[in-house]
C-alpha cells in the first residue's frame, strides 16, 4: 500500500487585505444574494464572476418546487457567461450567502456539481479561476478550481488509451 496525501492551498484574508478588484467582486456577490429565488431553502446565494475583459457576470440560486430542477448561484453565473461570451475566459468567482437575516459567518464552498462545472470551465479556457468564498468572519481565496476538486473526472478520462 502506498498512501498518497493530497493537500490543497487555501488563503485566508480579511476584507481589508484584499485588493480593490476582489473587494468589488465580493460586494457584487453579496448584492446578488438579493436576486436569489430561494423560497424553499431561504438560503440566498449570490455569485459574481469576473471575466478577463473586466466584465462581471451575476448569478444567484434559482430554486424550483421540483427541488432538483433548481440551480446553484455558481452554475447560473458560469453557464450564463459561457453561453453569452464563449470566447471570454473567466478569471475569478466570488460567492456569498445570506441566511436568517445576515450574511453567513463562515465561508460557504461550492457543491460538488458546481466544482465539476467550474473545473470544466478552467480546462476549456486553459486558465485558473480564483475562487473567493465570503464569510463575515473570514474570506477564503483558493487559487484554482483544481484545488477544490482533486482526483477529478476530466476530459482525459474519455480519451481512448
Ligand atoms: N446553493 C448554492 O447556490 N451554492 C452553493 O454553493 C451551495 C448551495 C444553493 C442551492 C439551494 O438553492 C440552496 O443553496 C440550499 O442548498
Amino acid at each position: 500500500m502506498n498512501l498518497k496525501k493530497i493537500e490543497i492551498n487555501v488563503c485566508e484574508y480579511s476584507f481589508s487585505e484584499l485588493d480593490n478588484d476582489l473587494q468589488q467582486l465580493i460586494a457584487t456577490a453579496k448584492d446578488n444574494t438579493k436576486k436569489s429565488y430561494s423560497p424553499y431553502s431561504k438560503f440566498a446565494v449570490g455569485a459574481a464572476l469576473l471575466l478577463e475583459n473586466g466584465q462581471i457576470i451575476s448569478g444567484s440560486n434559482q430554486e424550483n418546487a421540483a427541488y432538483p430542477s433548481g440551480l446553484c448561484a455558481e452554475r447560473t453565473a458560469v453557464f450564463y457567461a459561457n453561453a453569452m461570451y464563449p470566447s471570454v475566459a473567466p478569471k475569478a468567482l466570488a460567492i456569498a450567502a445570506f441566511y436568517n437575516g445576515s450574511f453567513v459567518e463562515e465561508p460557504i464552498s461550492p457543491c460538488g456539481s458546481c466544482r465539476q462545472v467550474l473545473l470544466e470551465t478552467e480546462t476549456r479556457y486553459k486558465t485558473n479561476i480564483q475562487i473567493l468564498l465570503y464569510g463575515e468572519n473570514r474570506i477564503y481565496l483558493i487559487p484554482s478550481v483544481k484545488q477544490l476538486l482533486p482526483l477529478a473526472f476530466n476530459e482525459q478520462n474519455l480519451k481512448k488509451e
Side-chain angles (χ1 to χ4, degrees):
M1 196 273 275
N2 180 22
L3 176 66
K4 293 187 175 182
K5 290 199 175 172
I6 300 174
E7 291 182 346
I8 70 161
N9 292 319
V10 178
C11 310
E12 184 178 331
Y13 285 91
S14 65
F15 188 75
S16 59
E17 285 175 320
L18 292 168
D19 67 29
N20 280 349
D21 282 5
L22 297 183
Q23 285 188 351
Q24 172 62 41
L25 203 62
I26 286 176
T28 308
K30 288 175 78 175
D31 206 41
N32 287 340
T33 61
K34 295 180 200 146
K35 298 175 185 158
S36 159
Y37 176 66
S38 44
Y40 305 104
S41 72
K42 315 253 191 285
F43 192 79
V45 185
L49 183 69
L50 175 66
L51 305 185
E52 65 180 354
N53 65 5
Q55 194 172 348
I56 295 178
I57 302 297
S58 291
S60 54
N61 55 332
Q62 302 296 317
E63 296 187 347
N64 194 285
Y67 290 0
S69 301
L71 198 64
C72 293
E74 297 89 324
R75 274 177 288 164
T76 306
V78 168
F79 283 147
Y80 179 86
N82 292 352
M84 287 293 285
Y85 310 105
S87 58
V88 189
K91 268 177 55 178
L93 174 70
I95 303 156
F98 190 88
Y99 190 49
N100 271 340
S102 58
F103 287 100
V104 294
E105 291 187 350
E106 294 300 324
I108 64 146
S109 201
C111 77
S113 296
C114 287
R115 293 176 198 211
Q116 189 71 35
V117 166
L118 287 162
L119 184 72
E120 184 80 22
T121 305
E122 258 195 4
T123 313
R124 171 178 175 179
Y125 293 99
K126 298 182 178 55
T127 185
N128 284 340
I129 302 174
Q130 286 188 314
I131 307 291
L132 272 166
L133 307 177
Y134 178 78
E136 293 276 85
N137 291 344
R138 69 195 91 248
I139 293 163
Y140 286 152
L141 192 154
I142 297 147
S144 158
V145 182
K146 288 180 230 24
Q147 300 280 321
L148 277 181
L149 200 58
L151 296 180
F153 183 83
N154 60 42
E155 88 285 3
Q156 296 298 330
N157 301 122
L158 295 174
K159 298 224 164 96
K160 287 206 176 118
E161 307 206 6

